Amino acid sequence: MTTTRRKFLTAGAVTGAALASAGTLAAAPNTAPKLLHHVFFWLKNPNSAADRAKLIAGVKSLAAIETVRSIHVGVPASTEKRDVVDNSYHVSELLGFDDVAGQDAYQVHPLHKKFVDEHQHLWSKVVVYDAMKVD
Amino acid sequence: MTTTRRKFLTAGAVTGAALASAGTLAAAPNTAPKLLHHVFFWLKNPNSAADRAKLIAGVKSLAAIETVRSIHVGVPASTEKRDVVDNSYHVSELLGFDDVAGQDAYQVHPLHKKFVDEHQHLWSKVVVYDAMKVD
C-alpha cells in the first residue's frame, strides 16, 4: 500500500515540476485520481452545529480506507448565487479513487459501513455523482 | 503566476513524503485546492458523440485560466447503480481553486466567457456545486 501511494505521489511531484515549467495546467500530464466520488448531504437538522460537526468528523474518517487516494470535505462556498448553483446542501465529500474497483472496495469496507451506520440518522437526503476521467 | 504555482506544488510534494511516511491520508496535511467547483452538464443531444466530444474539448480548454489549480473532466463512472447515485448527466468538470477570489476571476475570464458562448447551445441543463474545504 505504502509503495503504491509513494509511486502515485512521486508522479504527482513530477507533474508539478512539468507544470511550473510549462506554465499551464493543460500542458501537464494529469496524475490525479481518475475516479471521483462526490457526495452531497442534506442534514435533517441544518441548524444543528453539533450534527454538522459530527457528520464532518465522520466523513473525514473515510480517508483511512486504503483505496481512497484523495479527500475533500466541504460546505457550500460563498461564491456568487446563480440559478445553476445548488448551495442547498450542508456537507460535501469528494473522494478520489484509481478506478471502479477502488470505489467498489470502499463501498463494502467496514469503516464505510460503520460510518453509514453511525451517521445516517443525521441526513435527510444524499446525492452522489461518480465521474470517470476522460483522456 | 509561475511562482505561486511552484509554491503550491512544492507544498504538495512535501505532503506526498509525509503521507508515504504516515501511511494514511488522514495523517497528512492536505494542500489540494480548497475550493471545488463541480459542474454537471446534460446534453441536448445525448446520443451525439460529436456534441459530447465538442463539450469535452471545451471544458478542457478551461485549464488554461490562471486561477485554475486542478481539473478533472469526466463522464458517469460504471459504478454500481444505486438510488442515491445520479448518473443521468453526460459530462462533468471539476475545477479546483485556492479561494473564492480565484473562482470569481475564472467566472469573468475571457476564456470562460468564450467557452460559454461557443458551447451553451450543446447543453439543456447545468448544475453547479461549489464546496469550500473545512479544516
Side-chain angles (χ1 to χ4, degrees), chain A residues 53-129:
Chain A
K54 190 176 176 189
L55 179 56
I56 287 172
V59 294
K60 284 183 175 179
S61 74
L62 300 171
I65 296 176
E66 293 82 352
T67 57
V68 172
R69 293 288 176 261
S70 65
I71 182 167
H72 179 290
V73 180
V75 295
S78 56
T79 47
E80 188 186 357
K81 306 302 172 229
R82 297 179 293 140
D83 286 348
V84 293
V85 179
D86 186 345
N87 62 0
S88 66
Y89 70 94
H90 303 110
V91 174
S92 66
E93 157 212 327
L94 176 76
L95 300 178
F97 297 94
D98 290 339
D99 48 31
V100 170
Q103 203 276 151
D104 288 351
Y106 158 85
Q107 286 294 339
V108 298
H109 194 284
L111 284 179
H112 181 239
K113 289 180 174 291
K114 181 172 184 283
F115 161 76
V116 174
D117 286 347
E118 295 181 355
H119 297 84
Q120 61 185 344
H121 67 284
L122 297 175
W123 62 72
S124 58
K125 178 184 164 188
V126 176
V127 175
V128 179
Y129 298 90

Side-chain angles (χ1 to χ4, degrees), chain A residues 34 38 60 72 79 130 135, chain B residues 34 38 60 79 130 135:
Chain A
K34 287 184 189 289
H38 213 165
K60 284 183 175 179
H72 179 290
T79 47
D130 288 333
D135 292 313
Chain B
K34 288 184 190 284
H38 214 165
K60 283 183 175 178
T79 47
D130 289 331
D135 291 313

Side-chain angles (χ1 to χ4, degrees), chain B residues 6-22:
Chain B
R6 185 173 291 122
K7 190 174 174 185
F8 169 72
L9 288 153
T10 303
V14 170
T15 303
L19 196 156
S21 158

Side-chain angles (χ1 to χ4, degrees), chain B residues 59-104:
Chain B
V59 295
K60 283 183 175 178
S61 75
L62 300 171
I65 296 177
E66 293 82 353
T67 56
V68 171
R69 293 287 176 263
S70 64
I71 183 166
H72 179 290
V73 180
V75 294
S78 56
T79 47
E80 188 187 357
K81 307 302 171 230
R82 297 179 295 140
D83 286 348
V84 293
V85 179
D86 185 346
N87 63 0
S88 66
Y89 70 94
H90 303 111
V91 174
S92 66
E93 155 211 329
L94 177 75
L95 299 178
F97 297 94
D98 291 339
D99 47 32
V100 170
Q103 203 277 151
D104 289 351

